[in-house]
Amino acid sequence: MTTPKDTPGQGLPGPGAPGEGSPGRDRAAERQRLAEEKKRERYVWYYLGYFLFGIHVVAFVMIYAVRHAK
């Protein structure tokens, strides 16, 4: 059973539909979205790097503690 939302062509604005933004505004919004996505991806890599660095520091401290235990 299909609902009006499921049928193709209904409920979706066409290329000339009123309320659609201008192409310049769409390009600017897309550039802004891509810039935000790149920034967020950079932050993810930073957090991953800090996390891996922290794991190594903990591992070296544990190795030191085990080797110097009496």
Side-chain angles (χ1 to χ4, degrees), residues 4-14:
K5 266 195 326 192
D6 295 335
T7 55
Q10 289 183 350
L12 299 173

Side-chain angles (χ1 to χ4, degrees), residues 3-55:
T3 61
K5 266 195 326 192
D6 295 335
T7 55
Q10 289 183 350
L12 299 173
E20 185 177 292
S22 66
R25 191 180 310 167
D26 290 342
R27 281 191 217 113
E30 181 69 14
R31 279 196 305 264
Q32 179 68 24
R33 188 189 66 77
L34 287 173
E36 286 292 322
E37 185 176 336
K38 185 183 265 188
K39 182 180 176 183
R40 289 187 196 118
E41 186 175 341
R42 193 177 321 127
Y43 283 146
V44 167
W45 282 110
Y46 288 156
Y47 290 138
L48 179 64
Y50 286 130
F51 175 72
L52 293 174
F53 178 75
I55 286 177

